[in-house]
Amino acid sequence: VIPGWFSEISPMWPGEAHSLKVEKILFQGKSDYQNVMVFQSSTYGKVLVLDGVIQLTERDECAYQEMITHLPLCSIPNPKKVLVIGGGDGGVLREVSRHSSIEQIDICEIDKMVVDVSKQFFPSVAVGFEDPRVNLHIGDGVAFLKNAPEGTYDAVIVDSSDPIGPAQELFEKPFFESVAKALRPGGVVSTQAESIWLHMHIIEDIVANCRQIFKGSVNYAWTTVPTYPSGMIGFMLCSTEGPPVDFKHPVNPIDADDSHSKSRGPLKFYNSEIHTAAFCLPTFAKKVVDSK
Ligand SMILES: NCCCN[C@H]1CC[C@H](N)CC1
C-alpha cells in the first residue's frame, strides 16, 4: 500500500471496493493469524485493517460497536455476566462497560497483536480494557466456549471479522450450539452477521442454524457503517428458551445522557428509537429472515 488510496478488495464482495485516501501508514505487522495494518486516513481518522479488510475507523466505529452491544444488553432486564468473542480492539468492551448492572465481562480474542495495536493506536477504543470487570483471554473462542460451564452468561457478543480466515468457525453450527449452551435460559446472543446487500446466502444459512438452536427468538437487525462493504452491516439477535425476550422494545434502555464517563465519552449512535428501527428490514431480506 503506498500513500495514495487504500482499496478494500476481497472475494467476499466481488467487483466492488470501498477506498479511503491514505495520509500515512502507521503500522504493518504479521501476527500468527493475519496481516495487521493501521493507517491515518484523510477523512475517517485512523483505520485498522486485517488481511486487507477494514475492521474499524475512528470516525464510524461507534455505529457498529454501540449497536452490536446495546441491541442485546438493552433487551434483557438486568445483565450481569457477559462474554465477548473476538472484539480485540476493545470497542465492544467500552460499550458493555456502560451497563452498571454488569459484574463480569469475559473476552476471548485469538490475536494478541490486535489488542496491542489497538491500545497503541486507538486509545479511545481500547479504553474498554481498562474496566476492572474485564477478564481478557487470548485464545480461540471456539475452545473457550466448549469449556464454558452451562448457563453461565446472560449475553454473548460475537464481534468477529469475516468468515474467511480466523473467524470462519464463528459462523458455523457447532459454534452457535456452544453459545446456546453457555447462555442461561432467556439469555441473548448478538453476532456480526454481514450485509443483506452482499451476503444474503450466508445470512440464510445463519438464520436456518439459529432457528434450530435458539428456541427463544431469532431476529436480524442492521446499522449503517460507511466504511464497511455496502455501507451497512447486520447482526443476529437470538435468545435461548426461557423468559421471553422482545428485542424490538428495549426493556433496559440506555440513552445518550446517562452511562458515559470521561474516559468512554457519550453514546454517539445508539438510542432507543434506532434500537427498534434496526429490526425493520427491506422486503427481500424479510422474506429470508422470516421464512427460514
Ligand atoms: N470490532 C471490529 C469490528 C469487526 N467487524 C467486522 C470487520 C470486517 C467487516 N467486513 C465486517 C465487520
Side-chain angles (χ1 to χ4, degrees):
V1 178
I2 48 169
W5 290 76
F6 166 79
S7 295
E8 189 188 42
I9 295 166
S10 167
M12 288 279 296
W13 33 92
E16 62 184 275
H18 186 255
S19 300
L20 289 172
K21 194 159 190 330
V22 178
E23 290 304 316
K24 185 174 189 301
I25 295 176
L26 302 173
F27 176 86
Q28 276 189 292
K30 188 165 176 51
S31 74
D32 296 340
Y33 300 95
Q34 53 208 336
N35 289 303
V36 181
M37 175 172 66
V38 178
F39 68 83
Q40 183 68 48
S41 72
S42 306
T43 51
Y44 276 80
K46 291 197 278 295
V47 183
L48 174 63
V49 178
L50 299 180
D51 280 347
V53 175
I54 293 172
Q55 301 298 304
L56 65 89
T57 81
E58 285 180 310
R59 179 169 161 190
D60 66 3
E61 56 92 8
C62 60
Y64 175 91
Q65 322 277 17
E66 291 182 25
M67 292 295 273
I68 197 172
T69 304
H70 302 307
L71 287 177
L73 295 187
C74 293
S75 297
I76 53 177
N78 193 23
K80 288 190 168 56
K81 288 188 184 177
V82 177
L83 169 61
V84 179
I85 299 293
D89 52 66
V92 166
L93 296 177
R94 178 192 66 207
E95 296 309 314
V96 171
S97 66
R98 292 181 195 276
H99 292 262
S100 51
S101 65
I102 288 173
E103 296 161 359
Q104 177 184 331
I105 310 170
D106 293 336
I107 174 169
C108 186
E109 162 61 54
I110 200 162
D111 193 346
K112 188 173 179 311
M113 187 179 276
V114 172
V115 176
D116 297 340
V117 164
S118 186
K119 286 179 177 176
Q120 185 180 351
F121 295 99
F122 299 90
S124 66
V125 180
V127 63
F129 286 105
E130 293 167 19
D131 191 294
R133 296 167 287 180
V134 170
N135 309 304
L136 171 62
H137 304 262
I138 297 295
D140 181 346
V142 172
F144 185 91
L145 270 161
K146 273 200 190 104
N147 300 326
E150 201 148 336
T152 306
Y153 297 103
D154 298 294
V156 175
I157 298 169
V158 187
D159 172 19
S160 71
S161 49
D162 298 304
I164 284 190
Q168 183 145 3
E169 281 186 281
L170 305 183
F171 289 79
E172 292 164 2
K173 194 170 179 180
F175 175 72
F176 289 121
E177 283 165 344
S178 66
V179 169
K181 182 176 74 60
L183 282 170
R184 66 155 170 81
V188 295
V189 59
S190 172
T191 78
Q192 189 268 99
E194 303 293 0
S195 161
I196 57 174
W197 283 112
L198 301 171
H199 307 121
M200 222 47 245
H201 53 290
I202 295 178
I203 295 167
E204 200 165 351
D205 292 347
I206 293 174
V207 170
N209 286 333
C210 287
R211 287 229 183 280
Q212 289 171 22
I213 295 165
F214 295 100
K215 292 302 181 191
S217 71
V218 172
N219 308 267
Y220 185 91
W222 64 280
T223 188
T224 74
V225 184
T227 57
Y228 282 168
S230 78
M232 61 160 295
I233 188 113
F235 312 101
M236 287 308 300
L237 273 299
C238 307
S239 59
T240 56
E241 192 159 23
V245 176
D246 175 2
F247 283 104
K248 299 179 184 177
H249 301 97
V251 294
N252 175 26
I254 184 168
D255 280 309
D257 54 341
D258 64 31
S259 89
H260 86 265
S261 68
K262 69 178 166 30
S263 58
R264 284 190 295 254
L267 286 169
K268 294 179 186 162
F269 192 94
Y270 177 89
N271 59 58
S272 296
E273 293 84 12
I274 209 159
H275 177 125
T276 302
F279 292 87
C280 300
L281 299 177
T283 303
F284 73 89
K286 226 172 131 58
K287 279 181 179 159
V288 170
V289 172
D290 292 350
S291 68
K292 283 291 147 215

